[in-house]
PDB file of all heavy atoms in Angstrom:
ATOM      1  N   MET A  98      16.488  19.538  -1.149  1.00  0.00           N
ATOM      2  CA  MET A  98      16.505  19.171  -2.566  1.00  0.00           C
ATOM      3  C   MET A  98      15.325  19.782  -3.307  1.00  0.00           C
ATOM      4  O   MET A  98      15.471  20.319  -4.406  1.00  0.00           O
ATOM      5  CB  MET A  98      16.505  17.650  -2.707  1.00  0.00           C
ATOM      6  CG  MET A  98      17.793  16.992  -2.213  1.00  0.00           C
ATOM      7  SD  MET A  98      17.815  15.205  -2.447  1.00  0.00           S
ATOM      8  CE  MET A  98      17.915  15.123  -4.233  1.00  0.00           C
ATOM      9  N   THR A  99      14.123  19.719  -2.707  1.00  0.00           N
ATOM     10  CA  THR A  99      12.937  20.247  -3.383  1.00  0.00           C
ATOM     11  C   THR A  99      12.939  21.765  -3.411  1.00  0.00           C
ATOM     12  O   THR A  99      12.485  22.380  -4.379  1.00  0.00           O
ATOM     13  CB  THR A  99      11.661  19.736  -2.701  1.00  0.00           C
ATOM     14  OG1 THR A  99      11.720  20.030  -1.289  1.00  0.00           O
ATOM     15  CG2 THR A  99      11.512  18.242  -2.879  1.00  0.00           C
ATOM     16  N   ILE A 100      13.469  22.411  -2.348  1.00  0.00           N
ATOM     17  CA  ILE A 100      13.528  23.868  -2.309  1.00  0.00           C
ATOM     18  C   ILE A 100      14.471  24.394  -3.377  1.00  0.00           C
ATOM     19  O   ILE A 100      14.160  25.342  -4.108  1.00  0.00           O
ATOM     20  CB  ILE A 100      13.956  24.346  -0.906  1.00  0.00           C
ATOM     21  CG1 ILE A 100      12.817  24.154   0.095  1.00  0.00           C
ATOM     22  CG2 ILE A 100      14.366  25.813  -0.930  1.00  0.00           C
ATOM     23  CD1 ILE A 100      13.197  24.483   1.521  1.00  0.00           C
ATOM     24  N   VAL A 101      15.655  23.794  -3.493  1.00  0.00           N
ATOM     25  CA  VAL A 101      16.653  24.266  -4.458  1.00  0.00           C
ATOM     26  C   VAL A 101      16.133  24.115  -5.886  1.00  0.00           C
ATOM     27  O   VAL A 101      16.366  24.991  -6.734  1.00  0.00           O
ATOM     28  CB  VAL A 101      17.981  23.517  -4.263  1.00  0.00           C
ATOM     29  CG1 VAL A 101      18.960  23.831  -5.393  1.00  0.00           C
ATOM     30  CG2 VAL A 101      18.603  23.885  -2.921  1.00  0.00           C
ATOM     31  N   ASN A 102      15.411  23.048  -6.168  1.00  0.00           N
ATOM     32  CA  ASN A 102      14.881  22.847  -7.523  1.00  0.00           C
ATOM     33  C   ASN A 102      13.958  23.986  -7.935  1.00  0.00           C
ATOM     34  O   ASN A 102      13.946  24.400  -9.098  1.00  0.00           O
ATOM     35  CB  ASN A 102      14.139  21.512  -7.604  1.00  0.00           C
ATOM     36  CG  ASN A 102      15.079  20.329  -7.566  1.00  0.00           C
ATOM     37  OD1 ASN A 102      16.270  20.466  -7.849  1.00  0.00           O
ATOM     38  ND2 ASN A 102      14.569  19.165  -7.198  1.00  0.00           N
ATOM     39  N   VAL A 103      13.171  24.507  -6.988  1.00  0.00           N
ATOM     40  CA  VAL A 103      12.243  25.592  -7.286  1.00  0.00           C
ATOM     41  C   VAL A 103      12.991  26.901  -7.534  1.00  0.00           C
ATOM     42  O   VAL A 103      12.538  27.753  -8.294  1.00  0.00           O
ATOM     43  CB  VAL A 103      11.231  25.758  -6.125  1.00  0.00           C
ATOM     44  CG1 VAL A 103      10.389  27.010  -6.305  1.00  0.00           C
ATOM     45  CG2 VAL A 103      10.324  24.539  -6.047  1.00  0.00           C
ATOM     46  N   ALA A 104      14.159  27.070  -6.904  1.00  0.00           N
ATOM     47  CA  ALA A 104      14.872  28.353  -6.920  1.00  0.00           C
ATOM     48  C   ALA A 104      15.879  28.468  -8.056  1.00  0.00           C
ATOM     49  O   ALA A 104      16.633  29.457  -8.092  1.00  0.00           O
ATOM     50  CB  ALA A 104      15.578  28.553  -5.585  1.00  0.00           C
ATOM     51  N   MET A 105      15.932  27.521  -8.974  1.00  0.00           N
ATOM     52  CA  MET A 105      16.959  27.530 -10.012  1.00  0.00           C
ATOM     53  C   MET A 105      16.947  28.828 -10.831  1.00  0.00           C
ATOM     54  O   MET A 105      17.990  29.445 -11.068  1.00  0.00           O
ATOM     55  CB  MET A 105      16.782  26.333 -10.945  1.00  0.00           C
ATOM     56  CG  MET A 105      17.169  25.009 -10.332  1.00  0.00           C
ATOM     57  SD  MET A 105      18.942  24.908 -10.022  1.00  0.00           S
ATOM     58  CE  MET A 105      19.060  23.219  -9.414  1.00  0.00           C
ATOM     59  N   ARG A 106      15.783  29.255 -11.256  1.00  0.00           N
ATOM     60  CA  ARG A 106      15.707  30.461 -12.092  1.00  0.00           C
ATOM     61  C   ARG A 106      16.150  31.703 -11.312  1.00  0.00           C
ATOM     62  O   ARG A 106      16.843  32.578 -11.847  1.00  0.00           O
ATOM     63  CB  ARG A 106      14.291  30.637 -12.639  1.00  0.00           C
ATOM     64  CG  ARG A 106      14.183  31.691 -13.731  1.00  0.00           C
ATOM     65  CD  ARG A 106      12.836  31.620 -14.419  1.00  0.00           C
ATOM     66  NE  ARG A 106      12.641  30.339 -15.059  1.00  0.00           N
ATOM     67  CZ  ARG A 106      13.125  30.011 -16.254  1.00  0.00           C
ATOM     68  NH1 ARG A 106      13.862  30.891 -16.930  1.00  0.00           N
ATOM     69  NH2 ARG A 106      12.887  28.828 -16.782  1.00  0.00           N
ATOM     70  N   SER A 107      15.756  31.772 -10.042  1.00  0.00           N
ATOM     71  CA  SER A 107      16.159  32.908  -9.217  1.00  0.00           C
ATOM     72  C   SER A 107      17.678  32.929  -9.022  1.00  0.00           C
ATOM     73  O   SER A 107      18.306  33.994  -9.058  1.00  0.00           O
ATOM     74  CB  SER A 107      15.461  32.843  -7.856  1.00  0.00           C
ATOM     75  OG  SER A 107      15.887  33.883  -7.018  1.00  0.00           O
ATOM     76  N   LEU A 108      18.285  31.763  -8.816  1.00  0.00           N
ATOM     77  CA  LEU A 108      19.733  31.681  -8.669  1.00  0.00           C
ATOM     78  C   LEU A 108      20.433  32.115  -9.962  1.00  0.00           C
ATOM     79  O   LEU A 108      21.458  32.802  -9.930  1.00  0.00           O
ATOM     80  CB  LEU A 108      20.146  30.258  -8.304  1.00  0.00           C
ATOM     81  CG  LEU A 108      19.755  29.773  -6.900  1.00  0.00           C
ATOM     82  CD1 LEU A 108      20.007  28.274  -6.774  1.00  0.00           C
ATOM     83  CD2 LEU A 108      20.545  30.527  -5.846  1.00  0.00           C
ATOM     84  N   SER A 109      19.876  31.726 -11.084  1.00  0.00           N
ATOM     85  CA  SER A 109      20.450  32.106 -12.376  1.00  0.00           C
ATOM     86  C   SER A 109      20.453  33.622 -12.537  1.00  0.00           C
ATOM     87  O   SER A 109      21.454  34.219 -12.970  1.00  0.00           O
ATOM     88  CB  SER A 109      19.648  31.449 -13.511  1.00  0.00           C
ATOM     89  OG  SER A 109      20.102  31.896 -14.771  1.00  0.00           O
ATOM     90  N   GLU A 110      19.355  34.278 -12.161  1.00  0.00           N
ATOM     91  CA  GLU A 110      19.266  35.730 -12.278  1.00  0.00           C
ATOM     92  C   GLU A 110      20.186  36.427 -11.277  1.00  0.00           C
ATOM     93  O   GLU A 110      20.827  37.433 -11.595  1.00  0.00           O
ATOM     94  CB  GLU A 110      17.820  36.174 -12.065  1.00  0.00           C
ATOM     95  CG  GLU A 110      16.865  35.679 -13.151  1.00  0.00           C
ATOM     96  CD  GLU A 110      15.407  35.937 -12.807  1.00  0.00           C
ATOM     97  OE1 GLU A 110      15.154  36.428 -11.676  1.00  0.00           O
ATOM     98  OE2 GLU A 110      14.537  35.656 -13.651  1.00  0.00           O
ATOM     99  N   SER A 111      20.273  35.900 -10.052  1.00  0.00           N
ATOM    100  CA  SER A 111      21.073  36.542  -9.012  1.00  0.00           C
ATOM    101  C   SER A 111      22.557  36.509  -9.345  1.00  0.00           C
ATOM    102  O   SER A 111      23.287  37.474  -9.081  1.00  0.00           O
ATOM    103  CB  SER A 111      20.832  35.854  -7.663  1.00  0.00           C
ATOM    104  OG  SER A 111      19.480  35.983  -7.262  1.00  0.00           O
TER     105      SER A 111
END
Side-chain angles (χ1 to χ4, degrees):
M98 293 182 69
T99 53
I100 287 175
V101 171
N102 288 340
V103 171
M105 287 293 183
R106 192 169 299 278
S107 177
L108 291 170
S109 175
E110 295 171 356
S111 297

